[in-house]
Amino acid sequence: MWLGCEISSLVPEHPCVSPVSNQVFERRLIEKYIAENGADPINGQPLSEEQLIDIKVSHPIRPKPPSATSIPAILKSLQDEWDAVMLHSFTLRQQLQTTRQELSHALYQHDAACRVIARLTKEVTAAREALATLKPQAGLVAPQAVPLPLYDVGCFMLSTDVNVTFSLLFQLQDKATVLTTERKKRGKTVPEELVRAEDLSKYRQVASHAGLHSASVPGILALDLCPSDTNKVLTGGADKNVVVFDRRDEQIVATLKGHTKKVTSVIYHPSQSVVFSASPDSTIRVWSISAGNCVQVVRAHEAGVTGLSLHATGDYLLSSSEDQYWAFSDVQTGRVLTKVTDETAGCALTCAQFHPDGLIFGTGTADSQIKIWDLKERTNVANFPGHSGPVTAIAFSENGYYLATGAQDSSLKLWDLRKLKNFKTITLDNNYEVKSLVFDQSGTYLAVGGSDIRVYICKQWSEVLNFTDHTGLVTGVAFGEHAQFLSSTGMDRSLKFYSL
């Protein structure tokens, strides 16, 4: 009769059988396995040494004991090593089988997930196409006091509002990821072309243009420069007109008419021949410079629009209003994607500005509050109290860490978005009115427009220049590329440029 050990596949010296699996083992091997694992090596069920049943063989072949050899110590060592190798090999075979089963299960789950994603993408695309064929209804949907119900899907908060789709949220997230990476790279070094502080302090007025807007209703109320070509200047006036001016040629490129009240906010699209404007007439208008006409009217509010900011994608507008709502709208279709208010505040919004990454933004209120909002979740995530008058202007630094705010309390406050606190307050002259705040593209300088023009160097927050050339209130300031020049507009109906 021949018996073989299930672990070593050899004839056992002391054979025994496991009542759990009914298999034969060498006693010393199975005892070692039980001591380490406490289970049967074949089926993994609990097993103890007391349960083992010895098998008696008529003529067992017994190996000679180590004492009968000439080199007993070596033979004993070899025997122990062989036992260890056999046990290890058996364990590895079991682990390999388990790993194969787990891998097969994971691949099946991955395949199922891919099929679900493909189906959802197809459904979202079909829904967007269906929405695109619908004609926008006149008027507005009744404002919601709070955001619509939200459902958590992965890292996104998706609204039951069909206008806010998967593709939009993915687009915003992808753009923010790219912008954050680029910003961190830029933040490590200051551009070589950037004007140094000692040269900036030597700036003087080099040009002044007073014929852009009507003299009968004096005042330029808004200013912006084209990000891709800062020689192209955009202004909004009290005469209800939007004007595009070429600094290099000193010529008016286009005069855009359509608003029924003064123009208080203007934005130049970074890559297209398109500009945006907002007015107390409750409308936001999208203009084509080449065609010289209005191509889209966004009716997001029921009261005057007080703030306007373009998302980094160039496809969506943020607006604030005296109706206490902020709105997020599609530039191409003019459709209002979402509209939110803070019921606990109950006061008008005075300004709005996107963070450089585009996933959060800030709004100022008539009761001195600065509110930070999460765009995806449409919730107020932070509040900055401290001003004692209506907030008139806010600006995010390009590094994404600082927020500058101005109010009718004649003060300028700097906030750290990482620590959510005010780390610097600049007290201005008595009755100083802050109307405009802007950082240069590198985040090195901060310009303030109001009773005069002041430029501060960031981090030290010291004043490097001051201009008092305007005879009226300064309503807008903007830096040229690499701060090669500074531009400003005022209630004296003039557009001025400053450089060396």
Side-chain angles (χ1 to χ4, degrees):
M1 180 180 180
W2 183 87
L3 296 175
C5 175
E6 290 297 320
I7 295 179
S8 65
S9 300
L10 299 178
V11 177
E13 179 181 355
H14 299 288
C16 63
V17 64
S18 167
V20 175
S21 62
N22 297 323
Q23 298 296 324
V24 177
F25 300 96
E26 171 65 58
R27 174 169 280 276
R28 71 172 184 280
L29 291 181
I30 189 63
E31 287 178 349
K32 289 182 180 180
Y33 188 89
I34 292 173
E36 292 179 4
N37 300 280
D40 188 285
I42 303 301
N43 55 23
Q45 295 185 10
L47 179 65
S48 64
E49 294 181 10
E50 290 75 16
Q51 292 179 274
L52 298 176
I53 302 172
D54 290 326
I55 300 176
K56 294 184 179 181
V57 187
S58 57
H59 299 287
I61 302 174
R62 300 179 182 277
K64 293 182 180 181
S67 59
T69 64
S70 58
I71 47 174
I74 295 178
L75 289 178
K76 183 65 171 63
S77 176
L78 290 174
Q79 183 68 64
D80 292 341
E81 289 179 5
W82 174 259
D83 294 344
V85 169
M86 288 298 101
L87 287 171
H88 185 63
S89 176
F90 183 81
T91 302
L92 288 179
R93 289 200 301 270
Q94 285 190 320
Q95 291 176 349
L96 176 60
Q97 182 63 25
T98 302
T99 303
R100 284 177 174 174
Q101 293 175 351
E102 292 176 349
L103 178 59
S104 176
H105 183 65
L107 290 175
Y108 175 80
Q109 287 184 323
H110 177 267
D111 183 65
C114 288
R115 289 196 298 271
V116 172
I117 292 172
R119 178 174 58 81
L120 290 176
T121 303
K122 183 178 180 180
E123 292 176 357
V124 167
T125 303
R128 286 180 63 86
E129 291 175 354
L131 287 170
T133 61
L134 296 177
K135 187 178 296 184
Q137 298 179 353
L140 293 174
V141 178
Q144 299 294 324
V146 295
L148 294 174
L150 298 172
Y151 298 98
D152 191 2
V153 179
C155 61
F156 299 110
M157 298 297 290
L158 302 183
S159 169
T160 52
D161 181 356
V162 293
N163 292 319
V164 183
T165 62
F166 278 99
S167 58
L168 169 58
L169 295 179
F170 274 107
Q171 181 184 2
L172 299 179
Q173 183 66 49
D174 290 344
K175 187 65 176 179
T177 301
V178 172
L179 291 174
T180 301
T181 302
E182 292 177 351
R183 174 165 53 80
K184 288 181 178 179
K185 290 181 180 178
R186 283 199 308 269
K188 294 180 181 179
T189 57
V190 176
E192 295 181 359
E193 302 88 346
L194 183 68
V195 174
R196 296 177 299 177
E198 53 267 30
D199 294 328
L200 187 67
S201 62
K202 300 175 183 177
Y203 275 19
R204 58 183 178 82
Q205 180 180 313
V206 294
S208 180
H209 305 277
L212 275 65
H213 291 267
S214 172
S216 60
V217 187
I220 300 177
L221 306 177
L223 168 69
D224 193 31
L225 304 183
C226 178
S228 58
D229 182 3
T230 53
N231 287 302
K232 296 178 180 178
V233 184
L234 180 65
T235 61
D239 60 356
K240 310 172 189 177
N241 295 338
V242 177
V243 173
V244 182
F245 179 79
D246 192 307
R247 171 177 173 268
R248 188 182 292 106
D249 298 336
E250 297 188 345
Q251 295 290 328
I252 293 177
V253 176
T255 299
L256 309 171
K257 300 182 179 182
H259 282 290
T260 59
K261 293 184 179 180
K262 60 187 179 181
V263 179
T264 53
S265 300
V266 292
I267 297 177
Y268 213 122
H269 196 284
S271 59
Q272 301 176 18
S273 183
V274 172
V275 297
F276 311 92
S277 62
S279 167
D281 64 7
S282 306
T283 66
I284 302 165
R285 291 180 179 266
V286 184
W287 309 86
S288 170
I289 299 175
S290 55
N293 63 350
C294 178
V295 296
Q296 195 67 252
V297 179
V298 181
R299 302 183 184 278
H301 300 284
E302 297 178 349
V305 182
T306 57
L308 200 61
S309 183
L310 182 66
H311 190 268
T313 59
D315 298 328
Y316 307 100
L317 278 172
L318 168 70
S319 57
S320 60
S321 171
E322 294 174 349
D323 65 4
Q324 304 179 18
Y325 282 84
W326 62 260
F328 185 67
S329 308
D330 189 315
V331 170
Q332 301 298 325
T333 63
R335 184 181 293 112
V336 180
L337 301 180
T338 189
K339 187 176 175 182
V340 178
T341 188
D342 183 358
E343 264 194 340
T344 60
C347 65
L349 301 183
T350 56
C351 51
Q353 184 69 45
F354 269 119
H355 183 271
D357 294 343
L359 290 183
I360 63 172
F361 61 89
T363 59
T365 68
D367 66 347
S368 314
Q369 296 288 318
I370 296 98
K371 296 181 178 294
I372 306 300
W373 298 80
D374 184 302
L375 178 60
K376 292 188 299 181
E377 298 188 15
R378 302 184 298 172
T379 54
N380 179 205
V381 294
N383 292 316
F384 293 149
H387 284 291
S388 58
V391 179
T392 55
I394 62 176
F396 287 95
S397 173
E398 180 57 31
N399 64 16
Y401 301 142
Y402 303 138
L403 171 66
T405 61
Q408 291 184 10
D409 57 3
S410 301
S411 70
L412 174 65
K413 290 184 178 292
L414 286 308
W415 309 85
D416 190 322
L417 297 176
R418 296 164 294 184
K419 299 178 181 179
L420 300 178
K421 69 175 185 178
N422 171 228
F423 67 91
K424 180 70 176 180
T425 297
I426 300 174
T427 302
L428 305 171
D429 303 334
N430 290 334
N431 301 320
Y432 190 102
E433 296 185 51
V434 179
K435 292 296 183 182
S436 178
L437 291 172
V438 63
F439 287 90
D440 76 295
Q441 181 63 21
S442 69
T444 305
Y445 303 113
L446 171 65
V448 183
S451 302
D452 56 21
I453 301 170
R454 305 184 183 191
V455 176
Y456 295 88
I457 183 168
C458 300
K459 295 185 179 179
Q460 293 90 344
W461 306 110
S462 58
E463 185 178 311
V464 292
L465 61 81
N466 184 302
F467 292 122
T468 58
D469 300 288
H470 283 281
T471 58
L473 198 64
V474 179
T475 55
V477 286
F479 285 100
E481 185 177 14
H482 301 304
Q484 296 292 332
F485 68 89
L486 181 69
S487 59
S488 65
T489 54
M491 293 303 295
D492 58 1
R493 201 170 57 89
S494 67
L495 168 65
K496 298 183 183 294
F497 296 98
Y498 308 86
S499 65
L500 290 173

